[in-house]
Amino acid sequence: RRYPTVETRAKTFNGSTHVTVPDDSAFLKALLFELRLTDQNFVEYRDTCTRINKSSVYAVRTDGGDLWPVLAFQKSGLIYVCLPLVEQALKPRPPLLSISGISQGLDLLSGILDFVSPSRKNEAELNAKVGQLRNLLLQACPLGTPLQTNLRSLNSSFDDIQDISTNRDPRQPAWRTNTYKGKPHVSVCITEKVKCMQYDKRDVVDMWQVYGTVACKCDIEGAAPNVTLSLNLPTNGSPLQDILAHPCVTSLDSAMLMSSSVDALDDSAFSGPYKFPFIPPSDSFNLCSYTSQVPVPPILGRYQLNEEGSQLKLSINLKLHESIKNAFEYCEARIPFFNRGPITHLEYKVSYGQLDLSREKSLVVWVIGPRFPKSLEISLTGTVTFGAIGEEHPTDLICTGNTAYVKLYFRIPDFTLTGCYVDQHSVQLFSPGKPKINASRELISSDYYIWNSKASAPIVYKTLF
C-alpha cells in the first residue's frame, strides 16, 4: 500500500535528503538483498562487522540513495515491512527514539502479523487473509497514520465499511469499532515482571527492577462509555514510575507522570491512588505500563562454581524474602553448562525440591515446586562430570570457563512486588446496570540471573532501564 500524501509530506520534511521510493519490484529486490536472502556472498557495505544490525530497522540501498528507516522482520516464511515517515531531515540520521513513526509502524506490522499468522499453515486460508488486507488497511490506516492496529476487530468486507460509516454514532470514538450488548463486565489483570542481576560481589552492585502492565477488557453498552479505574498501593508499597497510559485515557494527574527512573536525582514520589478515566476500546488493551524500584528482589541467591580437573563443583543457595507470598504456580532454577560435552555423572545433595537433567544432558533443572520450606532457604551442592563435546551441545561466547549463571523461572499468582492492586469498588462505570468486576494480579520472573561469584560476569549497564 502506498500513500501519496505521506510521500509528499516526506519530501517537505526531508528536503534535499529525501530519497524517492522506487517501484515495487525494485524495492523488493533491494530489500531481499539487504536481508541477505538473495546474495549470501560477503558484501563489504552490508556484511562488515562495523555494521551490526541490532534492530528491525534497515537502510535499503536503491538507485536514488539509501532508503531509511525501513522496518522489516521475518516470521514463519513471510516478510513484514513498512517505511515510516521521518518528520525531519535524514542527514545526519536522527536517533530512532525520536521518530514516532517507527513505533507506529511496528505496532501496525504486529497487528498484521497477528491477523495473518494463524493461517500460515493453510495456503488457501493464508491467501484469503492476505486478500482481505487491502480493505482492512482502509480502516486501520486510511491516510497513512494507524488509527487501529488490531485488524482482527475490523470488518473485512468493503460493504460493511460503507454501512459503518453511515450508521456510526457520532459520539463513538474511532477506537471503539463495535458496540456491546449485554450485562456490563470489566476484567483487569496487573502483570508485574521482575528483572534481576545478582553477582554476590563487593565491587559489583546487584540490580533489579519491576515492569508492570495493566491489561483490561471492558464489555459495556454504549457508544462512548466512561470508565474510571484506580490502582492502589499499600502503606509500604513501592511508588510507580515511568507511567505510560493508553491513548484512550482522557485525563491524568500530572503528579503521576513526574516520577521517573531515568533521573537519578529525581526524588519525586507519588504513592497513589493512580486514577485512569477512559473510554475503553472494544477489545482487550493495555491500559498502562510502569516501572518501579522495589527495595529487595523476591529471591536472593548465591552461585559458586569451581573447576577441578575434569569435574565442576557447584554450590547454590536461594532465599525467599519474608515479604514475598510463599505460594508459586511454578518455581525452578535452570543451570546451563555451555561449551562442554554431555553430563555423564551428576552427584548432588539438595535440601529441598528435586533435580532433573535435560534430554541433551547439558542443562540441570532444579524444580523447587509450589512453595519454599518454612526456613525460606534452600541449597544445592554437587559435582558434575562431562563427556566429549559434540555439535548438538550449547555453546556461548560469553559464558566460557567458570563464567556461568543460574536463571530463575517463577510465577506467583494474586501477588505483585510493588503491592499494586485494583480495588473492585474503585472501578466506576457511568452506564446503566451493576457491572461484574474481575480483578487479578501476578508476579513473573523475567531475565532473573544469578552469576557465578567465583568468576567474572559480564556487566554492560548500570541500570536495567
Side-chain angles (χ1 to χ4, degrees):
R1 180 73 188 276
R2 289 174 175 265
Y3 296 92
T5 53
V6 179
E7 293 191 47
T8 301
R9 293 177 63 198
K11 292 177 183 178
T12 304
F13 283 119
N14 305 155
S16 61
T17 61
H18 177 72
V19 178
T20 303
V21 182
D23 60 60
D24 291 354
S25 60
F27 175 79
L28 178 59
K29 182 179 179 181
L31 175 67
L32 295 178
F33 180 81
E34 178 64 28
L35 296 178
R36 301 176 177 85
L37 296 177
T38 55
D39 190 342
Q40 303 294 334
N41 297 323
F42 178 81
V43 180
E44 178 69 25
Y45 84 89
R46 184 192 66 181
D47 301 323
T48 176
C49 61
T50 59
R51 190 174 178 266
I52 299 176
N53 188 47
K54 297 181 180 179
S55 66
S56 298
V57 181
Y58 297 89
V60 176
R61 179 164 293 189
T62 67
D63 293 338
D66 286 355
L67 204 58
W68 181 92
V70 175
L71 288 176
F73 59 85
Q74 303 176 61
K75 191 72 174 179
S76 302
L78 297 177
I79 301 175
Y80 299 82
V81 57
C82 72
L83 177 61
L85 173 67
V86 180
E87 298 178 331
Q88 54 188 303
L90 297 174
K91 293 181 181 179
R93 288 181 181 174
L96 294 181
L97 289 177
S98 69
I99 305 174
S100 60
I102 288 183
S103 58
Q104 294 177 349
L106 281 174
D107 199 17
L108 180 61
L109 291 180
S110 297
I112 295 175
L113 168 65
D114 187 50
F115 175 75
V116 172
S117 60
S119 310
R120 65 185 185 274
K121 294 182 179 179
N122 186 319
E123 186 173 351
E125 187 177 346
L126 177 61
N127 290 335
K129 284 287 185 72
V130 172
Q132 296 171 7
L133 282 179
R134 179 185 176 278
N135 288 339
L136 293 176
L137 284 175
L138 287 174
Q139 304 171 71
C141 195
L143 296 175
T145 300
L147 302 179
Q148 166 68 287
T149 57
N150 184 1
L151 271 64
R152 288 187 176 184
S153 65
L154 302 177
N155 296 280
S156 60
S157 169
F158 191 75
D159 295 334
D160 292 339
I161 300 174
Q162 303 284 0
D163 293 341
I164 290 177
S165 62
T166 57
N167 300 328
R168 188 180 185 88
D169 192 320
R171 297 172 300 166
Q172 185 171 335
W175 56 85
R176 282 187 67 82
T177 55
N178 52 61
T179 55
Y180 171 79
K181 297 294 183 182
K183 295 182 179 180
H185 184 196
V186 177
S187 298
V188 186
C189 179
I190 303 175
T191 300
E192 288 189 352
K193 294 184 178 181
V194 55
K195 289 189 175 185
C196 190
M197 291 281 175
Q198 297 184 37
Y199 301 97
D200 189 31
K201 292 185 178 182
R202 291 184 178 180
D203 57 337
V204 181
V205 179
D206 294 344
M207 302 300 300
W208 61 88
Q209 192 166 29
V210 173
Y211 298 82
T213 303
V214 181
C216 293
K217 178 70 166 70
C218 300
D219 294 326
I220 309 170
E221 290 188 354
N226 290 292
V227 182
T228 298
L229 185 148
S230 296
L231 302 179
N232 301 279
L233 292 177
T235 306
N236 59 343
S238 300
L240 309 185
Q241 297 175 306
D242 309 317
I243 295 177
L244 292 176
H246 191 277
C248 72
V249 176
T250 55
S251 64
L252 281 177
D253 187 339
S254 59
M256 293 170 51
L257 305 176
M258 295 299 292
S259 182
S260 171
S261 63
V262 176
D263 189 354
L265 301 178
D266 182 16
D267 58 353
S268 61
F270 181 75
S271 56
Y274 304 86
K275 289 189 176 182
F276 296 87
F278 59 96
I279 300 175
S282 305
D283 298 294
S284 300
F285 69 103
N286 290 334
L287 176 65
C288 70
S289 62
Y290 59 86
T291 69
S292 183
Q293 289 287 354
V294 295
V296 292
I299 300 177
L300 286 168
R302 166 183 282 188
Y303 180 32
Q304 293 183 335
L305 186 69
N306 291 301
E307 191 166 0
E308 296 182 2
S310 60
Q311 292 183 335
L312 288 179
K313 288 192 174 182
L314 62 93
S315 173
I316 304 173
N317 296 88
L318 300 177
K319 181 179 181 180
L320 180 69
H321 194 270
E322 57 186 11
S323 64
I324 307 302
K325 180 182 178 182
N326 191 8
F328 296 80
E329 180 180 305
Y330 59 84
C331 182
E332 65 182 36
R334 298 183 184 181
I335 313 156
F337 294 99
F338 299 106
N339 310 308
R340 304 177 189 276
I343 296 175
T344 57
H345 182 70
L346 175 62
E347 184 178 333
Y348 65 92
K349 180 180 180 181
V350 62
S351 66
Y352 193 79
Q354 64 183 37
L355 250 61
D356 291 330
L357 191 61
S358 65
R359 181 179 300 177
E360 68 275 10
K361 297 184 178 180
S362 59
L363 175 70
V364 176
V365 181
W366 183 6
V367 181
I368 298 168
R371 58 189 305 111
F372 275 62
K374 289 185 178 180
S375 64
L376 302 182
E377 295 187 48
I378 57 177
S379 62
L380 164 66
T381 57
T383 303
V384 187
T385 306
F386 302 91
I389 189 171
E391 294 182 357
E392 69 278 8
H393 292 94
T395 60
D396 193 285
L397 297 178
I398 295 177
C399 297
T400 59
N402 288 347
T403 300
Y405 61 78
V406 172
K407 189 173 183 180
L408 298 186
Y409 295 81
F410 57 82
R411 178 182 181 272
I412 306 178
D414 195 27
F415 179 81
T416 53
L417 206 51
T418 61
C420 184
Y421 67 96
V422 174
D423 184 355
Q424 296 189 10
H425 299 289
S426 69
V427 180
Q428 300 177 354
L429 269 69
F430 300 93
S431 63
K434 185 177 181 181
K436 179 181 179 181
I437 311 295
N438 287 339
S440 60
R441 55 183 185 163
E442 61 182 356
L443 176 67
I444 302 175
S445 63
S446 172
D447 295 333
Y448 204 106
Y449 292 92
I450 302 172
W451 290 89
N452 176 24
S453 60
K454 294 295 184 180
S456 59
I459 304 170
V460 294
Y461 42 71
K462 293 184 179 179
T463 67
L464 285 175
F465 184 77

